[in-house]
């Protein structure tokens, strides 16, 4: 279904214990353009708001929310006497950070366990990515050019699944 459509949201099962919320629009060069902000807000924030507004969700024990490392921006933090605030560098990161804040207030109101995974790129075996490209070049005895200006963080899919499994077992934290 479509999490932006109330009729589809009403089709959810009545007794949900755990939700793994993966819905959203991913980043990339498009997330730097102001004309795309509404689209990022729609898919990364409105879907969560509508999902949380459904009365059935009160039966939940836990929400596992997938955010992104993009909320950190260039590790810029706005410091204030009362708080430290991340400063995302794109609209993908800013809308994911806003969704995290929505979940924080939802937790304060409902006391439902919420885990937020701020994941980087996910590396899957047999899918083209930076790691597979490096391995290919090693096998073919080709040069690997390293650009020290570009940072790349990643997590292996098996490690991510193990973390999700561990999170599922901790329903009261």
């Amino acid at each position: 279904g479509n999490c932006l459509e109330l009729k589809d949201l009403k089709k959810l099962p009545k007794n949900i214990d755990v939700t793994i919320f993966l819905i959203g629009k991913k980043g990339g060069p498009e997330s730097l353009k102001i004309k795309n902000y509404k689209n990022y807000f729609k898919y990364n924030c409105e879907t969560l708001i509508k999902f949380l507004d459904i009365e059935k969700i009160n039966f939940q024990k836990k929400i596992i929310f997938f955010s992104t490392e993009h909320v950190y921006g260039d590790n810029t933090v706005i410091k204030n006497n009362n708080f430290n605030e991340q400063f995302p560098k794109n609209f993908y990161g800013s809308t994911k950070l806003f969704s995290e804040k929505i979940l924080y207030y939802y937790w304060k109101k409902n006391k439902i366990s919420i885990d937020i995974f701020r994941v980087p790129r996910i590396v899957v075996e047999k899918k083209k990515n930076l790691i597979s490209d490096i391995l290919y070049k090693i096998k073919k005895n080709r040069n690997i050019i390293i650009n020290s200006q570009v940072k790349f963080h990643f997590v292996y899919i098996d490690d991510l699944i193990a973390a999700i499994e561990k999170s599922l077992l901790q329903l009261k934290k």
Side-chain angles (χ1 to χ4, degrees), residues 158-171:
D158 294 346
D159 295 335
L160 180 60
I161 291 170
I164 293 167
E165 287 173 345
K166 187 172 184 179
S167 175
L168 287 169
L169 297 174
Q170 298 175 354
L171 294 178

PDB file of all heavy atoms in Angstrom, residues 158-171:
ATOM      1  N   ASP A 158      24.719  -8.373   6.260  1.00  0.00           N
ATOM      2  CA  ASP A 158      24.648  -9.369   7.333  1.00  0.00           C
ATOM      3  C   ASP A 158      24.767  -8.720   8.717  1.00  0.00           C
ATOM      4  O   ASP A 158      24.092  -9.120   9.663  1.00  0.00           O
ATOM      5  CB  ASP A 158      25.741 -10.428   7.170  1.00  0.00           C
ATOM      6  CG  ASP A 158      25.546 -11.284   5.926  1.00  0.00           C
ATOM      7  OD1 ASP A 158      24.439 -11.240   5.343  1.00  0.00           O
ATOM      8  OD2 ASP A 158      26.483 -11.996   5.540  1.00  0.00           O
ATOM      9  N   ASP A 159      25.634  -7.712   8.837  1.00  0.00           N
ATOM     10  CA  ASP A 159      25.783  -7.008  10.114  1.00  0.00           C
ATOM     11  C   ASP A 159      24.529  -6.208  10.447  1.00  0.00           C
ATOM     12  O   ASP A 159      24.111  -6.146  11.604  1.00  0.00           O
ATOM     13  CB  ASP A 159      27.000  -6.084  10.071  1.00  0.00           C
ATOM     14  CG  ASP A 159      28.313  -6.837   9.940  1.00  0.00           C
ATOM     15  OD1 ASP A 159      28.361  -8.021  10.354  1.00  0.00           O
ATOM     16  OD2 ASP A 159      29.282  -6.257   9.433  1.00  0.00           O
ATOM     17  N   LEU A 160      23.931  -5.610   9.435  1.00  0.00           N
ATOM     18  CA  LEU A 160      22.701  -4.846   9.656  1.00  0.00           C
ATOM     19  C   LEU A 160      21.569  -5.764  10.113  1.00  0.00           C
ATOM     20  O   LEU A 160      20.841  -5.446  11.055  1.00  0.00           O
ATOM     21  CB  LEU A 160      22.306  -4.103   8.380  1.00  0.00           C
ATOM     22  CG  LEU A 160      21.047  -3.256   8.471  1.00  0.00           C
ATOM     23  CD1 LEU A 160      21.185  -2.174   9.535  1.00  0.00           C
ATOM     24  CD2 LEU A 160      20.736  -2.633   7.123  1.00  0.00           C
ATOM     25  N   ILE A 161      21.437  -6.905   9.479  1.00  0.00           N
ATOM     26  CA  ILE A 161      20.391  -7.865   9.864  1.00  0.00           C
ATOM     27  C   ILE A 161      20.616  -8.347  11.292  1.00  0.00           C
ATOM     28  O   ILE A 161      19.672  -8.465  12.080  1.00  0.00           O
ATOM     29  CB  ILE A 161      20.319  -9.026   8.855  1.00  0.00           C
ATOM     30  CG1 ILE A 161      19.765  -8.500   7.524  1.00  0.00           C
ATOM     31  CG2 ILE A 161      19.460 -10.170   9.388  1.00  0.00           C
ATOM     32  CD1 ILE A 161      19.857  -9.466   6.374  1.00  0.00           C
ATOM     33  N   ALA A 162      21.861  -8.595  11.662  1.00  0.00           N
ATOM     34  CA  ALA A 162      22.162  -9.022  13.036  1.00  0.00           C
ATOM     35  C   ALA A 162      21.764  -7.930  14.034  1.00  0.00           C
ATOM     36  O   ALA A 162      21.227  -8.222  15.104  1.00  0.00           O
ATOM     37  CB  ALA A 162      23.648  -9.361  13.169  1.00  0.00           C
ATOM     38  N   ALA A 163      22.008  -6.681  13.689  1.00  0.00           N
ATOM     39  CA  ALA A 163      21.634  -5.575  14.578  1.00  0.00           C
ATOM     40  C   ALA A 163      20.116  -5.471  14.703  1.00  0.00           C
ATOM     41  O   ALA A 163      19.591  -5.225  15.793  1.00  0.00           O
ATOM     42  CB  ALA A 163      22.217  -4.269  14.056  1.00  0.00           C
ATOM     43  N   ILE A 164      19.404  -5.671  13.612  1.00  0.00           N
ATOM     44  CA  ILE A 164      17.938  -5.642  13.652  1.00  0.00           C
ATOM     45  C   ILE A 164      17.418  -6.771  14.534  1.00  0.00           C
ATOM     46  O   ILE A 164      16.519  -6.567  15.356  1.00  0.00           O
ATOM     47  CB  ILE A 164      17.344  -5.731  12.231  1.00  0.00           C
ATOM     48  CG1 ILE A 164      17.680  -4.470  11.438  1.00  0.00           C
ATOM     49  CG2 ILE A 164      15.828  -5.934  12.288  1.00  0.00           C
ATOM     50  CD1 ILE A 164      17.406  -4.597   9.951  1.00  0.00           C
ATOM     51  N   GLU A 165      17.984  -7.969  14.376  1.00  0.00           N
ATOM     52  CA  GLU A 165      17.576  -9.106  15.208  1.00  0.00           C
ATOM     53  C   GLU A 165      17.786  -8.809  16.687  1.00  0.00           C
ATOM     54  O   GLU A 165      16.930  -9.094  17.522  1.00  0.00           O
ATOM     55  CB  GLU A 165      18.347 -10.369  14.808  1.00  0.00           C
ATOM     56  CG  GLU A 165      17.907 -10.946  13.488  1.00  0.00           C
ATOM     57  CD  GLU A 165      18.780 -12.103  13.019  1.00  0.00           C
ATOM     58  OE1 GLU A 165      19.901 -12.298  13.566  1.00  0.00           O
ATOM     59  OE2 GLU A 165      18.351 -12.820  12.108  1.00  0.00           O
ATOM     60  N   LYS A 166      18.907  -8.192  17.016  1.00  0.00           N
ATOM     61  CA  LYS A 166      19.179  -7.844  18.416  1.00  0.00           C
ATOM     62  C   LYS A 166      18.173  -6.812  18.911  1.00  0.00           C
ATOM     63  O   LYS A 166      17.667  -6.903  20.028  1.00  0.00           O
ATOM     64  CB  LYS A 166      20.608  -7.316  18.554  1.00  0.00           C
ATOM     65  CG  LYS A 166      21.031  -7.103  19.976  1.00  0.00           C
ATOM     66  CD  LYS A 166      22.502  -6.777  20.071  1.00  0.00           C
ATOM     67  CE  LYS A 166      22.904  -6.669  21.540  1.00  0.00           C
ATOM     68  NZ  LYS A 166      24.304  -6.370  21.703  1.00  0.00           N
ATOM     69  N   SER A 167      17.868  -5.848  18.082  1.00  0.00           N
ATOM     70  CA  SER A 167      16.887  -4.816  18.435  1.00  0.00           C
ATOM     71  C   SER A 167      15.505  -5.419  18.681  1.00  0.00           C
ATOM     72  O   SER A 167      14.790  -5.010  19.592  1.00  0.00           O
ATOM     73  CB  SER A 167      16.815  -3.771  17.312  1.00  0.00           C
ATOM     74  OG  SER A 167      15.802  -2.842  17.565  1.00  0.00           O
ATOM     75  N   LEU A 168      15.128  -6.390  17.869  1.00  0.00           N
ATOM     76  CA  LEU A 168      13.824  -7.035  18.021  1.00  0.00           C
ATOM     77  C   LEU A 168      13.673  -7.730  19.376  1.00  0.00           C
ATOM     78  O   LEU A 168      12.571  -7.847  19.904  1.00  0.00           O
ATOM     79  CB  LEU A 168      13.589  -8.050  16.901  1.00  0.00           C
ATOM     80  CG  LEU A 168      13.309  -7.457  15.533  1.00  0.00           C
ATOM     81  CD1 LEU A 168      13.374  -8.552  14.466  1.00  0.00           C
ATOM     82  CD2 LEU A 168      11.984  -6.750  15.501  1.00  0.00           C
ATOM     83  N   LEU A 169      14.789  -8.185  19.937  1.00  0.00           N
ATOM     84  CA  LEU A 169      14.748  -8.894  21.212  1.00  0.00           C
ATOM     85  C   LEU A 169      14.711  -7.948  22.413  1.00  0.00           C
ATOM     86  O   LEU A 169      14.473  -8.387  23.539  1.00  0.00           O
ATOM     87  CB  LEU A 169      15.955  -9.824  21.327  1.00  0.00           C
ATOM     88  CG  LEU A 169      16.016 -10.932  20.281  1.00  0.00           C
ATOM     89  CD1 LEU A 169      17.320 -11.708  20.386  1.00  0.00           C
ATOM     90  CD2 LEU A 169      14.814 -11.872  20.404  1.00  0.00           C
ATOM     91  N   GLN A 170      14.925  -6.664  22.171  1.00  0.00           N
ATOM     92  CA  GLN A 170      14.931  -5.679  23.254  1.00  0.00           C
ATOM     93  C   GLN A 170      13.689  -4.802  23.153  1.00  0.00           C
ATOM     94  O   GLN A 170      13.760  -3.643  22.762  1.00  0.00           O
ATOM     95  CB  GLN A 170      16.190  -4.827  23.175  1.00  0.00           C
ATOM     96  CG  GLN A 170      17.454  -5.611  23.335  1.00  0.00           C
ATOM     97  CD  GLN A 170      18.700  -4.762  23.131  1.00  0.00           C
ATOM     98  OE1 GLN A 170      18.626  -3.608  22.768  1.00  0.00           O
ATOM     99  NE2 GLN A 170      19.852  -5.347  23.368  1.00  0.00           N
ATOM    100  N   LEU A 171      12.559  -5.340  23.540  1.00  0.00           N
ATOM    101  CA  LEU A 171      11.305  -4.620  23.368  1.00  0.00           C
ATOM    102  C   LEU A 171      11.073  -3.540  24.418  1.00  0.00           C
ATOM    103  O   LEU A 171      10.225  -2.685  24.238  1.00  0.00           O
ATOM    104  CB  LEU A 171      10.126  -5.600  23.385  1.00  0.00           C
ATOM    105  CG  LEU A 171      10.077  -6.576  22.211  1.00  0.00           C
ATOM    106  CD1 LEU A 171       8.914  -7.523  22.356  1.00  0.00           C
ATOM    107  CD2 LEU A 171       9.988  -5.817  20.886  1.00  0.00           C
TER     108      LEU A 171
END
